Amino acid sequence: MERRRAPKAMLILLACSSGRLRRLLAAAFHLAACDLFRCRAVSRPPTVRSSCRRPLLLAAALVVPFGIVVDEKMRRSGGGGERANGTRRRGNGGNGGNGEIRRERMGICKQIGGNGGKIDGIWFSVAYAGPHGSPARREPENMVSTLLPILSSPVSRATTFLLHRTRPTPFRFHCLLLRSLPAPASSPSTPPAPRSLATMASVATPARRDLLMLGIETSCDDTAAAVVRGDGEILSQVIASQSDLLVKWGGVAPKMAEEAHALAIDKVVQKALDDANVSEGDLSAVAVTVGPGLSLCLRVGVHKARKIAKVFGLPIVGVHHMEAHALVSRLVKKDLDYPFLALLISGGHNLLVLAQNLGEYVQLGTTIDDAIGEAYDKSARWLGLDIRKGGGPALEELALEGDPKSINFRVPMRQHKDCNFSYAGLKTQVRLATESRNMCTDDIPISSATEEDRQLRANIAASFQRVAVLHLEDRCQRAVEWALKMEPSIKNFVVSGGVASNQYVRARLNHIAEKNGLQLVSPPPSLCTDNGVMIAWTGIEHFVAGRFEDPPPADEPDDMQYDLRPRWPLGEEYSEGISVSRSLKTARIHPSLTSMTQSALRN
């Protein structure tokens, strides 16, 4: 039988280990190479097939960071070397079968049930490598460093951080591992069923459900935080609204909004942690919005996130606000796969994108001046509505009382055969309509209006809403055609953002989806507006993919200038959708998220 040679990575690992550990690892790798893979491809890492290399290297990653030791010696209590689970052992004692395993260097012993646990003929002893950098911890870290570069980046980066991070509860991960060991045999003559080292390596990475992500959102006028598990379970969600400031200033005042965020951020984050019944030390990472948005507001959230990450040694995931609106639908609909078409509509953005993969988007259309959410808010203010709960919901409610065809507003940009949006002209039409009818909306709110005056305002609201949504329908129909031409496999049409909570908008866009054979997917209203859940969930998706920033250094100054991205495109523009309008804002734009993702993947 031809002799199998071990990969170079194995030899480096074995050379760095102590005498006993070297012999034990050699036995494990011999079994992995000969009994599991049985291929010529294990001569050296550059030529190893990926299907064979990854389980082998993951097995090494399992053995080293979690302190899993193959122990040649079993403690016995009497007898003289009888069989233990069918394997003859030499020694001065033992009647076999109790499977007790000793780890002398760590001073920790674990009992692995009845007849012991055996994996491919190797006895395993599991012990956590202490939290304070004991020699037993430092030695494996040096060895595992030779293996990690060979692993694929999404696995190695997130796994590496979680495996090397000090946990406040030392036995958290090794207990998970113990639960996954083979069940003890029913009798000494029946050995446990063999289990591959590759399967055991898979449990070294903490289950996705065990991830805990704190999401922080301060991009505009709401201070929000949430804690979400890796499987999508929402443990807490807290939002501090600035509705009083909106009424006072007639919209978002950046400096006032920043001060409100600064006053609320600590309480909001702490309440999110308390409601989830976790502490900062239990978190896996912190996700925070870094753009787009108001730079003064973004800075508050980023500063808080980095402060937590610095104190507790947590990685940071910088989140694109609009991508979070799109991906929160994947939390709601777990089987929502790429590619899909997404319409993201909020107070500051109108965006049509083709989502091809995580972090990779094609921009089909965007707003060239004002977004639909801003048009709703301004129109509600001109009509004298109570906007403390939002201008959009107030206008939607009033529009139910009006005639949508009573006023002939013009649909914007009908002559432009693209997917871009413009609501500045429609806003002007609404303002002129209120002025021409001598409505004193500043002095007479809707609650004090006469019946005739209220009906007139309702007609304006209904007419505005009909035309505003017609503009959406026109653009979405063209975007569906473009998207299906690029990705014929699209099955879902995602509509998200604050305006997506409007029921009239949903109904009209559902008609577009059904007409084109697509399924409309939209989050519940509580997840459509800005919230911490969408930030935490997007952070989880990127964290699992290995896209995160290492914990800030302990000496990072509090007044550090952060990399904020107030103007940050989500994707690259589709060639047929490039706008030539003079109103399209282009100043101080960061490279798109898609271009940054693709550049990172190439490197």
Side-chain angles (χ1 to χ4, degrees):
M1 181 175 178
E2 185 178 356
R3 182 179 180 180
R4 310 295 185 190
R5 293 186 298 169
K8 187 182 297 182
M10 291 184 193
L11 301 180
I12 296 174
L13 183 61
L14 295 175
C16 296
S17 58
S18 62
R20 171 190 281 186
L21 187 57
R22 184 182 305 119
R23 292 194 301 273
L24 304 177
L25 291 176
F29 289 141
H30 176 74
L31 286 170
C34 297
D35 295 338
L36 295 179
F37 307 125
R38 300 188 181 281
C39 63
R40 298 173 179 268
V42 294
S43 58
R44 66 179 194 276
T47 60
V48 177
R49 295 183 307 186
S50 60
S51 61
C52 298
R53 185 178 73 232
R54 184 172 299 175
L56 190 61
L57 297 177
L58 281 175
L62 170 70
V63 171
V64 177
F66 277 85
I68 295 177
V69 178
V70 185
D71 204 333
E72 291 179 335
K73 295 184 178 180
M74 310 284 292
R75 282 198 305 173
R76 305 298 178 198
S77 56
E82 296 179 10
R83 286 182 180 271
N85 286 345
T87 304
R88 180 169 296 279
R89 293 297 213 176
R90 293 183 180 180
N92 294 324
N95 52 11
N98 66 355
E100 185 177 356
I101 302 173
R102 181 173 58 184
R103 173 82 157 99
E104 296 178 351
R105 286 182 62 188
M106 296 297 301
I108 299 174
C109 293
K110 278 291 169 185
Q111 176 78 26
I112 310 182
N115 293 294
K118 189 171 70 168
I119 305 167
D120 288 345
I122 303 174
W123 290 90
F124 276 78
S125 163
V126 182
Y128 183 78
H132 300 297
S134 62
R137 170 95 178 187
R138 288 194 298 268
E139 182 179 331
E141 285 182 352
N142 294 331
M143 292 186 288
V144 79
S145 63
T146 64
L147 292 175
L148 293 175
I150 306 174
L151 297 171
S152 62
S153 57
V155 174
S156 64
R157 188 124 198 267
T159 303
T160 304
F161 185 88
L162 290 176
L163 295 185
H164 286 79
R165 185 183 158 214
T166 300
R167 286 277 172 176
T169 54
F171 290 97
R172 179 173 183 180
F173 286 125
H174 96 266
C175 290
L176 291 173
L177 186 60
L178 284 174
R179 287 199 297 269
S180 64
L181 287 172
S186 58
S187 66
S189 60
T190 307
R195 188 174 178 186
S196 70
L197 290 176
T199 305
M200 285 301 300
S202 66
V203 301
T205 304
R208 177 158 175 163
R209 174 176 170 77
D210 294 320
L211 296 178
L212 279 178
M213 185 70 67
L214 170 65
I216 298 176
E217 157 63 22
T218 60
S219 65
C220 191
D221 59 340
D222 286 332
T223 310
V227 178
V228 179
R229 285 194 183 277
D231 62 354
E233 180 185 357
I234 301 172
L235 300 183
S236 65
Q237 180 179 5
V238 181
I239 300 176
S241 176
Q242 299 181 10
S243 56
D244 293 338
L245 288 178
L246 295 177
V247 175
K248 180 179 179 180
W249 298 98
V252 179
K255 186 61 180 176
M256 300 298 104
E258 178 198 19
E259 294 176 358
H261 282 307
L263 291 173
I265 187 68
D266 290 338
K267 296 178 181 179
V268 168
V269 170
Q270 189 58 51
K271 181 169 175 53
L273 294 172
D274 292 343
D275 290 352
N277 196 26
V278 299
S279 65
E280 292 90 337
D282 296 321
L283 300 173
S284 303
V286 181
V288 60
T289 306
V290 297
L294 301 173
S295 58
L296 291 176
C297 299
L298 291 169
R299 184 176 291 109
V300 177
V302 172
H303 176 75
K304 179 63 177 178
R306 294 189 72 86
K307 183 178 178 181
I308 295 174
K310 180 172 66 174
V311 173
F312 294 93
L314 300 172
I316 298 177
V317 185
V319 173
H320 192 293
H321 181 80
M322 300 310 294
E323 182 185 36
H325 274 304
L327 295 189
V328 73
S329 297
R330 284 169 53 85
L331 182 151
V332 177
K333 182 176 168 46
K334 294 296 195 298
D335 59 347
L336 176 60
D337 294 326
Y338 300 99
F340 59 84
L341 178 65
L343 170 66
L344 311 176
I345 42 180
S346 65
H349 301 88
N350 272 48
L351 201 58
L352 271 167
V353 294
L354 172 60
Q356 296 178 313
N357 210 332
L358 178 64
E360 298 182 41
Y361 304 88
V362 177
Q363 178 179 300
L364 304 178
T366 186
T367 182
I368 64 173
D369 42 49
D370 295 333
I372 186 173
E374 182 179 351
Y376 264 93
D377 292 339
K378 292 294 185 182
S379 299
R381 183 185 174 197
W382 290 329
L383 293 173
L385 305 183
D386 184 358
I387 62 174
R388 283 177 295 180
K389 295 183 179 180
L395 191 145
E396 179 187 7
E397 182 179 356
L398 180 62
L400 296 175
E401 305 175 19
D403 180 4
K405 297 184 179 180
S406 59
I407 301 176
N408 188 25
F409 291 135
R410 294 187 303 277
V411 179
M413 298 182 67
R414 274 277 172 88
Q415 71 279 14
H416 294 273
K417 304 304 179 183
D418 55 33
C419 295
N420 294 315
F421 303 89
S422 171
Y423 283 96
L426 183 57
K427 278 171 47 181
T428 302
Q429 293 181 67
V430 173
R431 180 175 58 81
L432 293 177
T434 58
E435 292 176 353
S436 65
R437 288 160 177 79
N438 298 320
M439 296 191 324
C440 301
T441 57
D442 293 335
D443 301 328
I444 305 175
I446 189 67
S447 57
S448 304
T450 63
E451 183 176 351
E452 181 181 358
D453 189 22
R454 183 182 181 89
Q455 185 60 48
L456 181 57
R457 299 187 196 193
N459 289 341
I460 295 176
S463 299
F464 160 78
Q465 181 167 256
R466 180 183 67 87
V467 174
V469 178
L470 270 176
H471 187 34
L472 286 181
E473 293 180 59
D474 287 347
R475 272 33 204 168
C476 289
Q477 177 59 44
R478 185 173 291 111
V480 168
E481 296 170 2
W482 289 358
L484 289 174
K485 183 165 59 176
M486 288 184 284
E487 297 282 358
S489 62
I490 291 176
K491 296 291 187 293
N492 297 289
F493 179 27
V494 171
V495 179
S496 187
V499 182
S501 59
N502 184 304
Q503 296 303 311
Y504 179 77
V505 171
R506 290 196 185 204
R508 295 305 305 169
L509 294 180
N510 186 55
H511 175 70
I512 296 293
E514 291 178 347
K515 186 171 68 173
N516 291 277
L518 303 178
Q519 180 182 358
L520 185 73
V521 179
S522 191
S526 62
L527 297 181
C528 284
T529 55
D530 294 351
N531 61 85
V533 171
M534 68 181 193
I535 305 302
W537 175 253
T538 305
I540 288 170
E541 295 226 30
H542 281 281
F543 183 76
V544 171
R547 302 170 189 171
F548 56 85
E549 181 183 345
D550 293 332
D555 57 352
E556 180 179 280
D558 290 338
D559 59 350
M560 177 180 176
Q561 295 296 317
Y562 305 121
D563 179 23
L564 305 177
R565 301 163 188 173
R567 306 277 330 277
W568 190 15
L570 182 57
E572 296 299 306
E573 285 188 272
Y574 182 49
S575 58
E576 295 185 33
I578 296 177
S579 175
V580 295
S581 172
R582 295 181 181 178
S583 301
L584 189 62
K585 302 171 184 177
T586 57
R588 294 177 288 125
I589 292 183
H590 284 78
S592 70
L593 173 65
T594 298
S595 64
M596 296 171 68
T597 301
Q598 292 174 345
S599 176
L601 291 175
R602 285 194 296 268
N603 296 333

